[in-house]
Amino acid sequence: MTKGEIVLGCLAPHPPHLVYAENPPQNEAFSEGGWETLRWGYAKLARKLKTIDYDAIVIFTPHWQTYIGTHFLGLPEFKSKSVDPVFPNLFRYNYDLRVDVELAEAMHEETAKAGIITKMMRNPDFRVDYGTITSCHLLNPDWDKPIVTISSNRNSHYYSNEVMIEQAKALGEACMKAIEKSGKKVVLVSSHSLSHRHFVTEAPLPEDMSREHIYNHSQYVWDMKIIDMFRDGKMQEVVDIMPEYTEQTIAETEAGGLIWMMAAMGVPSYPAEIYGYQSVIGTGNCIACWDPNNNTRELVL
Amino acid sequence: MSEDSPILFGLYVPPHPQPLLSPDANQGYSNLRAAFETCRKRIEESDADLILVYSTTWPSVVGHQIQALKESIWTHVDDDFHYLGSMPYNFKIDTDFANEYCSAAKKRGLHARTVEYEGFPIDTGSVVALSLLNPDNRIPACIVSSNMYANRSETIVLGKSASDALIAQGKKAVIVVVSSLSNRMFTEHIDPADDRIHSSKDNEWNEKILQFFADGRLEDLSQLSREIHGQIRVQKVVAYKPAWWLASAMGQHNNYQGEVLAYEALHGSGGAVIQLTPSTGSFGDKEFDEDDVEFYQGDRNVLNKENF
């Protein structure tokens, strides 16, 4: 069997505002638009994905929070409605998705071998989190590829950002082993914002872009620092600086997604493709991808 | 009930699903389930018009969210304990009260809104509490979120707003806080038979908190919240808020008859079922360090030059 591989790694933030702004038929809420810089960036990355041959999307989500190990979706289909508990006015999305259970089980097995506490989720009533749905919808609106969702074990809360990084690295390496053994071509998705301090009030019209800006300048400066390192291919430095960055900006990197993806990809030293940066209700959001193929990697922005 | 309080009694209950889904897996879970049953009967025998729940497992970001959907129907599954089973629910919500509470919160300077959406994900703690305390929907309920950024002043005002709304509508309520004591769980799967409080330190603090509850010293606990947060709470949010909300809703004093009906481990965390009934006797009010607050005026930005 051919050795499996990661064909792309995507940083894909999941503010539900972006799906809301698109007005897809699956979402009940209606908007007049908004957050175009991110939406257009997503559209361009989605077009790139259409040109890539892959079998499954593996997504690490901060909104399936587990404290007892790392969990994997373990049933072939999930169909329900996802209502965002924080922004229910914006996101009430009817989903119908397929899971690559074989790949999920392989990852579960390799993760357990690595000494990480892990569990398959096989309850058919389980509601898939809105982070998974938002990122996957924006990357692949056709939903024509199966997914694997990995929960985020909250080591930052229980221990420290340093412990989170060590465990996320081990998880990434275990997932890579499973992918190689599977023979499949896989797109990894780390679903999260960068700086993550929200405004605690909302404009009467949420998509009123005259009200949107980063929560404070410090968040912005830190986000730019990280994005510059993405551009320069300094991902080991990003890993090294991650505890301080996460603490300073209350970043959603606390869940471990970016470290997981970097570890699985062997900590790339090539430049990331940047597709956009914009704030959503004060948080900093960057769409980026790491393309290991020298022939298809491009300078986007 | 004291003459000026619309609250018949307050309950403090744990959010974990074991007492609902697997009460027989551990004697402690059974004890908690039995305590929930006792509270259910007491609510049924009370004169309550409403059960109001403040849940620490419903985090909000945009202000304070208040459940207002008249019939909230779904099947909930817990993120961690999904293997214990599903939790179908059908809750009757007091929409009029939800709107009144939202209005009262706004009058006190809070950003608040009702949520009234089919399929809204009611949190594990609220589902467990209402399923066990009010299984037949005999009494309408309402649920309020715990804002993840809110600190003391905001939470105190949110509690007072609840009392305002009850008085405005002339309703009598049982109010329920859904929260662990110590909240550090084991980070591996355990045999339920082996469940215990995660550490001696957590247990000692829990026992101290339970002494205060048993003595009816709710305001004293409210004053100790920051210390409790630092000592035995995993730092998922900025503060330990349930005692703030409960104390401010019930009147900010120590005049309660306290009863600890159960205290057990729930996957390592401290789970207790506690009842506080307003009474005339008092343990006495101390000299409190923390100021009272009536209106929320927003965060004071210490970096703002206008403050210099």
Side-chain angles (χ1 to χ4, degrees), chain A:
Chain A
M1 185 167 65
T2 312
K3 194 173 169 184
E5 61 180 317
I6 295 166
V7 294
L8 202 68
C10 304
L11 172 58
H14 57 247
H17 306 65
L18 304 182
V19 169
Y20 164 71
E22 290 280 321
N23 289 316
Q26 296 100 321
N27 197 29
E28 291 176 1
F30 177 79
S31 80
E32 296 178 6
W35 303 281
E36 279 74 13
T37 303
L38 288 171
R39 287 166 49 213
W40 295 345
Y42 254 123
K44 184 167 175 60
L45 180 52
R47 287 198 295 275
K48 178 182 174 94
L49 267 177
K50 284 288 184 196
T51 68
I52 292 174
D53 176 27
Y54 68 101
D55 301 303
I57 293 173
V58 178
I59 180 165
F60 183 105
T61 175
H63 288 287
W64 179 10
Q65 299 189 0
T66 52
Y67 291 89
I68 310 163
T70 297
H71 300 217
F72 296 84
L73 286 186
L75 290 171
E77 290 176 348
F78 287 90
K79 183 178 181 181
S80 186
K81 179 158 76 172
S82 172
V83 180
D84 184 336
V86 175
F87 302 104
N89 51 325
L90 309 183
F91 191 83
R92 303 185 300 278
Y93 186 101
N94 294 286
Y95 64 87
D96 184 356
L97 57 84
R98 290 179 297 128
V99 173
D100 186 335
V101 178
E102 183 181 64
L103 184 58
E105 286 175 341
M107 289 181 170
H108 167 256
E109 192 176 319
E110 286 296 334
T111 301
K113 276 188 202 167
I116 298 169
I117 305 298
T118 182
K119 188 93 177 167
M120 294 298 292
M121 203 307 298
R122 301 194 196 276
N123 186 324
D125 295 325
F126 187 80
R127 184 146 50 172
V128 177
D129 70 285
Y130 73 88
T132 292
I133 292 165
T134 297
S135 293
C136 288
H137 174 90
L138 291 165
L139 287 170
N140 180 28
D142 295 334
W143 289 95
D144 55 357
K145 300 285 183 182
I147 69 167
V148 172
T149 291
I150 307 176
S151 79
S152 54
N153 183 240
R154 312 306 282 191
N155 290 297
S156 292
H157 294 162
Y158 265 56
Y159 302 105
S160 66
N161 287 325
E162 286 79 2
V163 171
M164 173 273 288
I165 286 172
E166 290 307 310
Q167 294 215 5
K169 275 185 192 171
L171 178 65
E173 287 161 7
C175 288
M176 184 60 209
K177 282 184 190 169
I179 290 165
E180 286 180 345
K181 287 182 184 174
S182 74
K184 292 179 177 174
K185 292 178 178 171
V186 169
V187 171
L188 298 189
V189 177
S190 181
S191 170
H192 57 86
S193 303
L194 293 178
S195 64
H196 202 234
R197 184 58 166 91
H198 303 81
F199 293 115
V200 293
T201 57
E202 189 175 56
L205 184 69
E207 60 268 38
D208 179 352
M209 289 295 100
S210 71
R211 304 279 289 268
E212 186 62 78
H213 60 86
I214 194 75
Y215 188 85
N216 65 34
H217 187 62
S218 169
Q219 309 281 71
Y220 167 79
V221 170
W222 266 107
D223 285 348
M224 288 304 115
K225 172 77 176 169
I226 290 288
I227 291 169
D228 281 347
M229 289 193 281
F230 290 173
R231 286 184 195 282
D232 294 341
K234 295 178 176 174
M235 292 314 297
Q236 184 57 53
E237 286 186 39
V238 170
V239 174
D240 294 341
I241 206 172
M242 190 56 66
E244 186 171 0
Y245 169 71
T246 300
E247 185 178 341
Q248 292 287 334
T249 65
I250 324 172
E252 213 172 18
T253 48
E254 67 160 3
L258 189 61
I259 302 294
W260 161 79
M261 187 165 75
M262 290 300 105
M265 299 184 78
V267 190
S269 55
Y270 49 81
E273 296 176 356
I274 305 298
Y275 287 83
Y277 174 83
Q278 191 175 18
S279 68
V280 179
I281 197 161
T283 65
N285 298 274
C286 174
I287 300 166
C289 85
W290 286 261
D291 183 349
N293 186 335
N294 293 332
N295 297 322
T296 55
R297 189 184 315 133
E298 55 185 324
L299 177 62
V300 179
L301 289 174

Side-chain angles (χ1 to χ4, degrees), chain B:
Chain B
M1 169 181 162
S2 64
E3 285 179 11
D4 56 348
S5 173
I7 294 166
L8 298 171
F9 56 86
L11 297 173
Y12 191 110
V13 300
H16 299 76
Q18 285 85 346
L20 177 66
L21 296 176
S22 59
D24 299 327
N26 171 305
Q27 185 58 48
Y29 306 164
S30 293
N31 295 343
L32 288 165
R33 175 65 171 260
F36 269 110
E37 287 286 317
T38 300
C39 293
R40 176 186 64 77
K41 287 177 194 158
R42 290 177 182 177
I43 292 172
E44 285 177 8
E45 291 162 2
S46 77
D47 206 12
D49 302 307
L50 172 75
I51 299 172
L52 174 59
V53 176
Y54 170 87
S55 177
T56 57
T57 54
W58 180 12
S60 58
V61 169
V62 180
H64 305 274
Q65 297 193 144
I66 301 163
Q67 182 56 246
L69 186 63
K70 193 169 186 178
E71 279 200 345
S72 293
I73 304 170
W74 203 258
T75 297
H76 176 69
V77 177
D78 186 70
D79 280 354
D80 260 310
F81 298 108
H82 43 79
Y83 53 89
L84 293 180
S86 306
M87 294 175 261
Y89 63 80
N90 181 349
F91 298 140
K92 188 166 77 178
I93 300 295
D94 186 337
T95 305
D96 287 343
F97 177 78
N99 289 325
E100 185 73 44
Y101 191 4
C102 185
S103 173
K106 287 176 179 171
K107 282 179 191 165
R108 283 185 179 267
L110 297 172
H111 191 85
R113 66 183 182 188
T114 55
V115 293
E116 201 169 354
Y117 302 102
E118 186 258 336
F120 183 88
I122 294 181
D123 59 289
T124 294
S126 297
V127 171
V128 170
L130 287 176
S131 297
L132 290 175
L133 295 173
N134 192 36
D136 303 321
N137 278 320
R138 288 183 74 254
I139 300 168
C142 187
I143 310 167
V144 61
S145 71
S146 176
N147 183 288
M148 61 184 290
Y149 297 116
N151 214 303
R152 181 175 179 273
S153 60
E154 211 171 336
T155 309
I156 294 281
V157 170
L158 185 66
K160 290 184 178 183
S161 306
S163 182
D164 294 345
L166 289 168
I167 291 167
Q169 293 201 332
K171 287 178 177 168
K172 287 172 293 216
V174 171
I175 65 172
V176 181
V177 154
V178 180
S179 176
S180 305
L181 298 175
S182 62
N183 68 341
R184 183 171 288 275
M185 294 194 294
F186 292 111
T187 52
E188 64 272 352
H189 296 96
I190 61 167
D191 182 338
D194 298 332
D195 208 345
R196 60 178 173 78
I197 300 294
H198 191 277
S199 69
S200 297
K201 181 187 176 189
D202 282 0
N203 189 51
E204 286 173 17
W205 266 97
N206 290 341
E207 296 280 7
K208 177 56 71 181
I209 293 167
L210 292 173
Q211 277 180 18
F212 275 66
F213 270 123
D215 289 338
R217 297 172 63 181
L218 179 56
E219 180 57 22
D220 287 350
L221 275 172
S222 174
Q223 297 282 330
L224 277 173
S225 282
R226 294 188 202 279
E227 182 67 17
I228 292 168
H229 188 64
Q231 293 288 348
I232 54 163
R233 298 288 292 183
V234 172
Q235 312 281 299
K236 300 179 201 171
V237 292
V238 297
Y240 170 68
K241 307 168 204 180
W244 286 334
W245 184 86
L246 191 65
S248 63
M250 292 185 74
Q252 294 173 296
H253 53 74
N254 287 319
N255 303 347
Y256 302 99
Q257 180 186 335
E259 184 180 5
V260 178
L261 290 104
Y263 164 56
E264 304 289 349
L266 283 163
H267 208 89
S269 69
V273 176
I274 302 158
Q275 182 173 338
L276 287 168
T277 308
S279 70
T280 50
S282 173
F283 202 91
D285 291 332
K286 308 299 179 191
E287 185 178 326
F288 299 132
D289 292 333
E290 301 264 21
D291 285 343
D292 194 10
V293 55
E294 295 293 336
F295 296 92
Y296 182 63
Q297 296 179 319
D299 294 323
R300 284 174 288 186
N301 188 349
V302 296
L303 298 180
N304 190 322
K305 64 182 180 183
E306 291 169 9
N307 290 329
F308 290 113

